[in-house]
Amino acid sequence: PTRRARVAAMATKKIGQERVFVPGGAMVDVAEKIGTNVRNRRRFLAEVSDIRKTENDIVSKPQLLKNVQRMRLLSKAEKLGLLSLLEKNGLSLTKIEELGLLSTAEKLGVLSAAEDRDLPTKLLLPAFALLAAAPAEVYLIPNDSQALVVGQYVLAALLIAGGSAAFGASQLVSKLQR
């Protein structure tokens, strides 16, 4: 058999210099204009939807609740006493309910954002920016008075805390999405 027949038999389609496996398609007659002549040739034609997969076919959404259960995060929170610590600091379940934090999180789409596969990467950029800003502000703000020096240290501590929180959130979301 000719090379063209072998290509059609293998159900492949030449795209550029590569041959790509095509799950569907068929040989069809195609009128091609070459110069002034019009010739009918047999070509392998496939549906574009057969060749390309959608993003949902390639990567599925993460199973957040299953991963929380698999990682035993609730048991770890219980052993560490996080709920009692929050309650001692004035944030009880009743207070969360009164403040409407759960409905606000729902409106803001926190869970759907946590399912975004790019979220860990999106959290790393502000984390690194905040962590880099801490020494930069100490360097840039002059040490002319004691108030400026204290302000430098307070601002640096806030920047480092924010950067560390963003970095930790990035790592947590990344592990929850596995």
Side-chain angles (χ1 to χ4, degrees), residues 49-90:
S49 62
D50 289 341
I51 296 173
R52 298 184 183 142
K53 292 184 180 246
T54 63
E55 185 178 334
N56 292 336
D57 292 339
I58 297 169
V59 178
S60 63
K61 287 187 177 181
Q63 306 278 330
L64 292 180
L65 294 178
K66 285 184 181 179
N67 290 337
V68 167
Q69 182 181 3
R70 179 181 50 82
M71 293 172 63
R72 300 183 168 276
L73 288 181
L74 299 177
S75 300
K76 290 176 183 176
E78 182 183 42
K79 286 179 185 175
L80 291 173
L82 290 180
L83 295 177
S84 57
L85 179 67
L86 288 174
E87 195 170 336
K88 286 178 186 174
N89 290 326

Side-chain angles (χ1 to χ4, degrees), residues 2 9 15 36 78 82-83 88 92 95-97 106 112 116 125 127 143 151 162 173 177:
T2 65
I15 298 177
T36 57
E78 182 183 42
L82 290 180
L83 295 177
K88 286 178 186 174
S92 63
K95 190 73 168 179
I96 290 172
E97 192 177 78
E106 195 174 64
S112 61
D116 181 12
L125 180 65
N143 296 333
V173 171
Q177 289 182 352

Side-chain angles (χ1 to χ4, degrees), residues 22-177:
V22 180
M27 295 296 289
V28 293
D29 291 323
V30 178
E32 290 182 348
K33 186 174 182 181
I34 302 172
T36 57
N37 299 330
V38 176
R39 294 184 181 168
N40 283 334
R41 293 190 179 202
R42 299 219 18 107
R43 295 283 185 220
F44 187 80
L45 187 67
E47 299 263 342
V48 175
S49 62
D50 289 341
I51 296 173
R52 298 184 183 142
K53 292 184 180 246
T54 63
E55 185 178 334
N56 292 336
D57 292 339
I58 297 169
V59 178
S60 63
K61 287 187 177 181
Q63 306 278 330
L64 292 180
L65 294 178
K66 285 184 181 179
N67 290 337
V68 167
Q69 182 181 3
R70 179 181 50 82
M71 293 172 63
R72 300 183 168 276
L73 288 181
L74 299 177
S75 300
K76 290 176 183 176
E78 182 183 42
K79 286 179 185 175
L80 291 173
L82 290 180
L83 295 177
S84 57
L85 179 67
L86 288 174
E87 195 170 336
K88 286 178 186 174
N89 290 326
L91 189 63
S92 63
L93 293 176
T94 309
K95 190 73 168 179
I96 290 172
E97 192 177 78
E98 289 172 1
L99 293 173
L101 294 179
L102 297 177
S103 60
T104 304
E106 195 174 64
K107 288 176 189 172
L108 293 175
V110 172
L111 285 179
S112 61
E115 290 179 345
D116 181 12
R117 292 275 183 194
D118 294 331
L119 185 63
T121 307
K122 290 176 184 175
L123 287 172
L124 279 179
L125 180 65
F128 290 142
L130 289 169
L131 291 171
E137 66 88 15
V138 170
Y139 178 75
L140 294 174
I141 295 175
N143 296 333
D144 294 341
S145 69
Q146 187 176 4
L148 284 176
V149 172
V150 170
Q152 283 179 358
Y153 288 117
V154 169
L155 183 58
L158 291 173
L159 290 171
I160 290 171
S164 299
F167 185 77
S170 170
Q171 297 302 308
L172 176 65
V173 171
S174 176
K175 286 185 179 183
L176 283 175
Q177 289 182 352

